[in-house]
Amino acid sequence: MSDRLQTAAVGAPLARLDGVAKVTGTARYAFEHELDQPAYMHPVQSTIARGTISSIDASVAEALDGVLVVLTHENAPRLASDDNRELWILQDERIAFRGQLIGAVVAESSEVAREAASRVRVAYHEQPHDVVLRADHEQLYAPEKVNPSFPTDTSEGDVEAAMQSAEVTVEQTYTTPMEHNNPMEPHATIAIRDRLGLTLYDSTQGVHTVRSSIAPLFGLEPEQVRVISPYVGGGFGSKGTSHAHVVLACLGAQMVSGRPVKLALTRQQMFALVGYRTPTIQRIRLGADGGGRLQAISNEVVELTSKIKEFAEQTATPTRIMYASPNRLTSHRLVPLDVAVPSWMRAPGECPGMFAPEVAMDELAVALGLDPVELRIRNEPEVDPESGNPWSTRRLVDCLREGARRFGWDQRDPSPGARNRNGWLIGSGVASATYPVYRMPGSAARICLGPAGAYTVQIGSADIGTGTWTTLAQIAADALEVPMDLIELEIGDTRLPMATVAGGSSGITSWGSAIVAAAEAFREQHGDQPDPGDEATAETPENADAENYAMHAFGAQLAEVHVHADTGEIRVSRQLGVFDAGQIINPRTARSQFIGGMTMGLSMALHENSVLDPQFGHVVNHDLAEYHIPVNADVGDIEAHWLDGRDPHTNPMGSKGIGEIGIVGVAAAIANAVYHATGIRIRDLPITADKLLR
Ligand code: MOS
């Protein structure tokens, strides 16, 4: 922040400003907005994975009392663009995956809509489908790039030759399963179509993102679409892009013009409609000299995409920057399948892509007889191995040392299976974490001085539960050098200045930079004695340092597990993370982000696994009874710490994003702890009791 900083709201552990509204139930989530004469929508989904609809009979559904309209591909309004096939629904008879939206009922009540939807009769011409990811699939192909715009393959030196001459090598294949985001608030949309355009109340990570994807589909100018989203009950990426149900609600609204159409997806529908993390198959090669210095590091990834839209998870990208090695290789190959479109899930790329290499590093440490913390320290790169740029800041070694100190790592007996207490085998493991610092161009903030001396700060950003209602106000207070109670923040509406999506942990960097720029513009334009009504607007400036520095957050994840020697039951008794994330804007909300991520990492390690039925092509365990996530009793002692300090290059606040790094590395740390406890190396997630009893 500027040298004029006096108030120092940034860094204060303030309680959420929206906390009272949330716990008293007055905070309106998407479905809860009160509108006159709402109608309710329930989707109809395909029950085959590939083929065409041969006939669809809505007559029984239409005859039900309270049904307003039944939408099918035969009567739905035409969409103006088929650029995104995921969103191009009800336009023809083709079926690309099981669960695809093929119709909907709009009715006077949600119960009638649901009942009527079940009475829509659909007949199909079914074709054989393929939903099984295999590393030797004949349709494997190299995408042009991986998300968001990284090269598909990279190669430096000669990994083959280095593996031949290395003193110690690890060569193994690791897998992570399909996983589904399950935010507390299921996806929901209210759509209202009138003469002027469309109004949406949507549960989303970005109102402007929704507008820019929806407006062209309906042939509307962006200004004709208003999206409102003040409160969101979690997204984790699944609300980072608009999915087809938003289009369905808009189509329904068009057919009952003027009436609000309310659509809340059920938990089960989410497993087909809002994206998921692709399963990955990762072949890792590590070669080291006798001192543990890497001579070769390689990750070759195979993952899936859908046939209707490519999604190329950037799984191998962390391997490109993590460790110093003269010989490096990464690649991504995709298999197009008859499945729903994969999408973002917390730390896409880094999260699955730090499981395989960080377990392999543990295997290398075991093979070398070297402490796994020390192995990582010995391979610390001075500069970014990929670009050759210096790090803006990289304090991974400090994180590892501080984590080891707090965890009591020096007490650890390195031999596996050495500790047995009352039939429980006890072990501990470590892994590194990393996540890039992204700054997205295109956000703007407007600041206006009101009559009573308070500043209205407007930016169309989101708070998906992370705390940005509070943290952006803190940034604004410091930038304007006023106390927090003189800041009136407005977010979550496309009537406010453009803001980029709450994704890629980029929110604070992108939006906070815009707010600081707007505050500087305000002072320049209006001096030290501004008048009520004075205002200024500024965009997120480009970061001149972005070309010259590699910018990433780092962290160390440590875990202790108890594994029952007879039953294989796994309890994670302790998790401890230490993070290098630059300036922490608000320690209270930051801690919540870190331990939330670490809990989701525990979930990945032990629980999450979307089981795709090869015969029918759907996720069988599509509810929270069968798709397991941790409950409170599954979480042991969990601590998040961070290194004090700020990054001089990332943004004016000196912060790095923190929404995603908390999950990265956790599954590897737990897998490594399970090995230490039992001597059994698990390379396929999730780690379940049956795998330990083989
Ligand atoms: Mo996050 S998966 O980048 O929304």
Side-chain angles (χ1 to χ4, degrees), residues 205 236-237 240 344-348 435 502-505 660:
Q205 293 173 224
F236 308 107
W344 315 110
M345 185 165 178
R346 203 173 200 168
Y435 196 82
S505 299
E660 288 163 284

Side-chain angles (χ1 to χ4, degrees), residues 533-567:
D534 285 348
E535 65 168 75
T537 301
E539 285 189 16
T540 305
E542 259 190 60
N543 185 356
D545 288 348
E547 297 273 288
N548 306 319
Y549 291 91
M551 302 186 192
H552 304 260
F554 292 94
Q557 304 275 12
L558 296 98
E560 180 189 78
V561 302
H562 293 226
V563 180
H564 198 275
D566 297 327
T567 67

Side-chain angles (χ1 to χ4, degrees), residues 4-232:
R4 303 163 49 144
L5 177 72
Q6 296 157 4
T7 53
V10 167
L14 302 179
R16 286 167 193 265
L17 300 180
D18 50 332
V20 170
K22 283 185 172 171
V23 298
T24 55
T26 56
R28 289 275 174 271
Y29 290 80
F31 196 77
E32 299 173 333
H33 291 273
E34 284 174 28
L35 300 161
D36 284 341
Q37 283 210 296
Y40 297 84
M41 172 176 265
H42 197 88
V44 179
Q45 296 173 270
S46 78
T47 56
I48 65 164
R50 181 163 169 255
T52 53
I53 298 167
S54 55
S55 71
I56 190 158
D57 176 7
S59 57
V60 177
E62 280 165 347
L64 270 187
D65 216 18
V67 169
L68 295 168
V69 66
V70 180
L71 289 86
T72 70
H73 68 280
E74 291 170 350
N75 67 350
R78 296 300 95 186
L79 294 171
S81 162
D82 65 355
D83 288 351
N84 181 343
R85 281 279 311 282
E86 182 187 356
L87 302 183
W88 202 67
I89 52 164
L90 274 57
Q91 301 300 296
D92 66 21
E93 61 290 332
R94 286 179 290 171
I95 305 292
F97 62 93
R98 181 163 165 149
Q100 179 184 317
L101 293 172
I102 57 170
V105 176
V106 181
E108 295 291 353
S109 75
S110 58
E111 292 82 2
V112 169
R114 188 168 190 158
E115 174 62 19
S118 75
R119 299 196 190 191
V120 175
R121 292 282 159 259
V122 186
Y124 303 95
H125 290 303
E126 197 170 351
Q127 291 170 331
H129 61 257
D130 179 8
V131 300
V132 181
L133 176 66
R134 286 183 284 110
D136 60 352
H137 199 284
E138 64 277 7
Q139 283 174 30
L140 216 61
Y141 75 98
E144 275 182 28
K145 59 179 177 59
V146 293
N147 295 328
S149 57
F150 291 110
T152 301
D153 297 353
T154 59
S155 176
E156 175 85 31
D158 187 340
V159 164
E160 305 282 343
M163 287 294 286
Q164 296 291 328
S165 60
E167 285 179 56
V168 182
T169 61
V170 172
E171 182 166 355
Q172 290 291 352
T173 298
Y174 305 80
T175 64
T176 62
M178 174 183 278
E179 295 161 355
H180 277 78
N181 272 320
N182 275 284
M184 195 88 95
E185 180 204 17
H187 297 61
T189 305
I190 305 176
I192 306 149
R193 180 73 208 242
D194 59 23
R195 228 167 13 87
L196 301 173
L198 259 173
T199 303
L200 298 175
Y201 297 85
D202 192 32
S203 184
T204 176
Q205 293 173 224
V207 288
H208 288 92
T209 313
V210 175
R211 178 162 86 172
S212 61
S213 60
I214 295 301
L217 279 174
F218 289 87
L220 296 169
E221 295 303 317
E223 304 73 48
Q224 293 174 281
V225 177
R226 183 179 180 197
V227 185
I228 300 161
S229 185
Y231 302 104
V232 180

Side-chain angles (χ1 to χ4, degrees), residues 321-324 376 379-385 391-398 434 550 552 554 580 647 656:
I321 63 122
M322 268 324 279
Y323 300 114
R376 288 171 173 84
N379 288 289
E380 177 69 4
E382 271 177 39
V383 296
D384 173 9
W391 307 101
S392 60
T393 49
R394 171 167 167 141
R395 299 175 66 194
L396 173 62
V397 171
D398 292 342
T434 187
H552 304 260
F554 292 94
D580 156 22
D647 188 304
K656 302 177 181 181

